[in-house]
Amino acid sequence: MPSDLRNKLEAALVMAVNLALQQKGSEPNCELAVVFVLNHTFPALSDYHRSQVNYDNLLPVLVDAAFFSREGLEQGYWLGIIDFDVRQTAERRFNWSTTSVSFRKVTEIKSKSLVSALGPLSRLIAHSIDNVQDPLLIVHCTNKIAGFARNLSTSWRQNKLSELDPREESQYLDQETISKTLPVLLQLLRDTMFAAIIALRSVLGRLLCDGVLASDTNAPALAMQSLHILRDTYFISHRLGLTSSSQYMFVNFTAVDVLSRYQAQSENFLESIRPASLGRIPPHPLDRLHDLFFLNTAEHFTLTVSPRLNQDLLFNGAAPYIDPQGDPRLGEIYEAAHSVILAILAAPQNAEVATRNVPFYVETLLQSFPRPLAARQFRLAVKSVVRIAAPPSPIAVCMPLMQAIILDLLRERMSHASEELLPSDPDLSKESQPPLSEKAVFLLSIIDCLSFLPVALLEEWLPLTAELLHKIESPAQKQQCLQRFWDTLSNGEMDVERAALCVAWWTSRGGREHVLFGEQPEDGEYTMSGALQYDSKL
């Protein structure tokens, strides 16, 4: 096509779009035609003609068309009506039939012109957010998307399918539901969530470089709304494994970083998403999923919120999930709860909270291994507690013997531990986790802590660690512990003072012989061969 003709067509299209947007109230739903045409032609427009679009008029229309219109996602209420068609069969399984009214509604929505092109439409929304002139329109549209996400979450709770943990679906759902109807629904929900994420990515990107949106009034509000949207769509993103996507992580961490600058708003947000049953594990899978989101998010606010909130909300919210006798199926929430508690203990302003709770947490850790805590999780938790208790931390001031007590407890547990190999961690590949026994894990935990001990305590524990090394009978396990011990001594984990002590112990105080051959150094000072004895008459 000749360039002149192409320019005329593009200019005419943009002019028609702008005029139609100005007169969108003249006929009901006339703006849907504009959205449909622009969604399919926008990629073909030149940058110049794209810049001529009136994005202030376009952005609200796009958001309404995508999430609320009869040609879009219809506010998400259709998710709740599925409940009426989920029925129990004679085999005591639940069936959602392909002939049901609700499934036909889902397929109808999925085939609509705007929903089938939701990917390009969400990118057009994001482009409009990037180019809109009135920043407050971005706040308005973010609130609209948050309302849609809230409707979606509420509708999902009203659905019997939300009462099933994904790991139990093969047990409670029939084959038709698992293979035909549910995958169609999940695909639609996946597209819906990504549309919201793509829009939020541009919202937060604009916030970072826009003075109005970055103000103390708008910035925390946008960050909170973004996190609320992530929470309300978490039943989709978590189930489909989308929380590790780059766009999701950008939205999540940017919103957290922005909100963490404001203590009052951060505390209000955490209160608004507090666990429904604080102090106990809720029976509903959706509530447990919201608790997981709460824990994963709260971990980033321990430095921001007050010690009172750290104790009353964050610690008490995580406490039920670290019960050693808890449900082993809640492994992910269990690990998130441990992460929150470690973050609470490490926060400088939580000295009193940490002092009060460290003994309880250490006891819980020791009771939780080897089940439900895996070896990797146990070693990381012990190492973190010992690091937190290292001088000059407030815990070290209040409880100066805490590090020594933890190491003594590990040594005591090691003396009664088994050398049978533990099951492998399902979260790690077999190549990255050599098989370990319970006894070896306790010794490795001690070795992991050596870098954080005061010099006097390190001097005491170097020979003790060497002695424990020879109490492991399995050659393979012993070699792994020996390699880790050598790495700790030689690979830069120690600071200068500790490293100097390690060198002296290894070279001139019998450390090498003790580690490699099990020969303990003799008491007393070392002297050169042929030196004068104390009873010499010379």
Side-chain angles (χ1 to χ4, degrees):
M1 180 183 296
S3 59
D4 290 344
L5 179 58
R6 182 185 180 92
N7 285 333
K8 289 179 181 179
L9 289 175
E10 291 183 9
L13 174 62
V14 171
M15 182 180 296
V17 166
N18 289 337
L19 290 174
L21 291 174
Q22 292 174 7
Q23 302 173 8
K24 62 181 179 180
S26 59
E27 294 183 24
N29 299 318
C30 65
E31 68 275 9
L32 296 179
V34 177
V35 173
F36 176 80
V37 171
L38 192 59
N39 191 38
H40 287 80
T41 58
F42 194 78
L45 294 178
S46 65
D47 291 341
Y48 171 75
H49 288 104
R50 288 183 183 184
S51 67
Q52 301 304 304
V53 175
N54 188 334
Y55 291 104
D56 285 22
N57 288 338
L58 178 62
L59 179 58
V61 170
L62 290 176
V63 172
D64 285 338
F67 296 103
F68 299 95
S69 74
R70 58 181 176 82
E71 291 298 325
L73 293 166
E74 297 186 7
Q75 305 186 54
Y77 287 124
W78 43 268
L79 194 56
I81 66 173
I82 296 174
D83 181 69
F84 298 105
D85 293 323
V86 178
R87 297 186 173 93
Q88 193 170 12
T89 64
E91 294 81 13
R92 303 189 66 81
R93 291 173 179 261
F94 289 97
N95 168 260
W96 180 31
S97 174
T98 54
T99 61
S100 63
V101 175
S102 58
F103 182 71
R104 288 200 298 269
K105 180 65 176 177
V106 169
T107 54
E108 175 193 339
I109 290 177
K110 195 172 185 298
S111 62
K112 287 182 177 180
S113 57
L114 295 184
V115 177
S116 60
L118 199 55
L121 182 57
S122 61
R123 289 192 291 273
L124 181 56
I125 293 174
H127 183 80
S128 300
I129 292 171
D130 292 336
N131 292 277
V132 74
Q133 297 297 313
D134 183 2
L136 296 182
L137 284 173
I138 298 176
V139 178
H140 170 73
C141 290
T142 304
N143 292 338
K144 295 274 287 185
I145 297 174
F148 170 82
R150 193 160 47 248
N151 291 345
L152 205 65
S153 178
T154 303
S155 299
W156 177 248
R157 180 181 288 277
Q158 297 168 354
N159 189 334
K160 288 188 185 70
L161 297 176
S162 71
E163 299 174 8
L164 296 177
D165 190 288
R167 291 165 294 188
E168 301 173 342
E169 287 176 354
S170 60
Q171 181 180 353
Y172 292 104
L173 297 180
D174 69 349
Q175 191 59 37
E176 181 183 22
T177 306
I178 293 174
S179 61
K180 295 181 179 179
T181 52
L182 188 58
V184 174
L185 174 63
L186 293 178
Q187 180 63 42
L188 178 57
L189 292 176
R190 179 182 183 276
D191 295 343
T192 302
M193 191 216 70
F194 262 122
I197 293 297
I198 291 173
L200 289 179
R201 180 196 60 187
S202 290
V203 168
L204 293 170
R206 181 75 183 264
L207 182 150
L208 296 177
C209 58
D210 189 291
V212 176
L213 296 180
S215 66
D216 292 341
T217 301
N218 293 321
L222 281 174
M224 281 193 287
Q225 287 289 47
S226 299
L227 290 172
H228 276 299
I229 293 170
L230 295 185
R231 178 179 183 266
D232 288 332
T233 58
Y234 198 59
F235 72 95
I236 307 171
S237 56
H238 179 267
R239 179 195 179 96
L240 300 177
L242 304 176
T243 55
S244 58
S245 68
S246 59
Q247 296 183 9
Y248 185 98
M249 292 176 66
F250 172 79
V251 171
N252 187 27
F253 290 138
T254 304
V256 167
D257 286 345
V258 171
L259 185 57
S260 62
R261 295 170 50 218
Y262 304 91
Q263 180 180 4
Q265 289 88 337
S266 297
E267 293 183 351
N268 289 338
F269 171 72
L270 292 175
E271 288 284 0
S272 69
I273 65 168
R274 64 185 293 137
S277 306
L278 190 67
R280 65 184 183 89
I281 299 176
H284 200 290
L286 186 58
D287 288 331
R288 294 199 297 268
L289 207 57
H290 285 163
D291 285 0
L292 176 60
F293 181 86
F294 169 80
L295 294 172
N296 286 336
T297 305
E299 178 184 354
H300 302 288
F301 289 98
T302 54
L303 293 172
T304 302
V305 301
S306 66
R308 179 195 61 80
L309 198 75
N310 270 296
Q311 174 68 58
D312 296 345
L313 180 57
L314 273 60
F315 190 92
N316 292 342
Y321 289 103
I322 63 170
D323 182 3
Q325 308 303 322
D327 190 340
R329 296 174 299 175
L330 304 179
E332 187 177 6
I333 312 182
Y334 188 85
E335 187 168 352
H338 277 281
S339 297
V340 170
I341 289 182
L342 289 173
I344 293 171
L345 300 180
Q349 80 274 20
N350 291 337
E352 183 179 348
V353 175
T355 303
R356 184 165 59 248
N357 292 297
V358 160
F360 157 77
Y361 183 62
V362 170
E363 182 181 358
T364 302
L365 274 182
L366 293 173
Q367 293 175 358
S368 302
F369 180 75
R371 293 179 184 83
L373 271 184
R376 171 186 60 86
Q377 298 166 328
F378 178 75
R379 288 175 60 185
L380 178 62
V382 170
K383 178 181 176 180
S384 300
V385 173
V386 172
R387 182 175 67 242
I388 292 168
S393 71
I395 297 178
V397 174
C398 299
M399 295 181 289
L401 299 179
M402 177 55 66
Q403 289 182 310
I405 291 172
I406 294 174
L407 294 179
D408 282 333
L409 289 172
L410 292 173
R411 181 173 62 168
E412 173 64 21
R413 284 289 302 274
M414 180 182 169
S415 64
H416 302 95
S418 168
E419 288 209 31
E420 294 183 7
L421 296 180
L422 297 171
S424 58
D425 190 341
D427 296 332
L428 299 175
S429 62
K430 292 184 178 180
E431 294 76 14
S432 63
Q433 51 167 345
L436 293 171
S437 66
E438 186 178 342
K439 180 175 285 189
V441 171
F442 282 119
L443 179 54
L444 288 171
S445 300
I446 293 174
I447 295 172
D448 291 339
C449 298
L450 295 178
S451 304
F452 307 105
L453 303 182
V455 172
L457 190 58
L458 177 62
E459 186 174 10
E460 176 186 345
W461 272 92
L462 285 173
L464 288 176
T465 304
E467 181 180 342
L468 293 174
L469 188 63
H470 294 285
K471 293 187 177 181
I472 295 182
E473 298 178 1
S474 168
Q477 301 287 299
K478 184 176 181 180
Q479 181 60 35
Q480 288 187 55
C481 296
L482 176 60
Q483 183 61 45
R484 175 65 186 128
F485 191 30
W486 175 247
D487 289 342
T488 301
L489 296 179
S490 62
N491 282 358
E493 294 186 25
M494 306 281 186
D495 62 12
V496 174
E497 190 175 4
R498 293 182 178 90
L501 172 65
C502 292
V503 170
W505 174 77
W506 182 265
T507 57
S508 60
R509 299 183 187 176
R512 175 180 175 275
E513 291 76 14
H514 198 175
V515 171
L516 298 181
F517 310 113
E519 300 175 2
Q520 299 192 25
E522 299 178 1
D523 294 334
E525 296 184 358
Y526 287 94
T527 57
M528 291 188 300
S529 176
L532 297 177
Q533 301 296 319
Y534 290 112
D535 58 353
S536 174
K537 302 299 183 182
L538 295 179

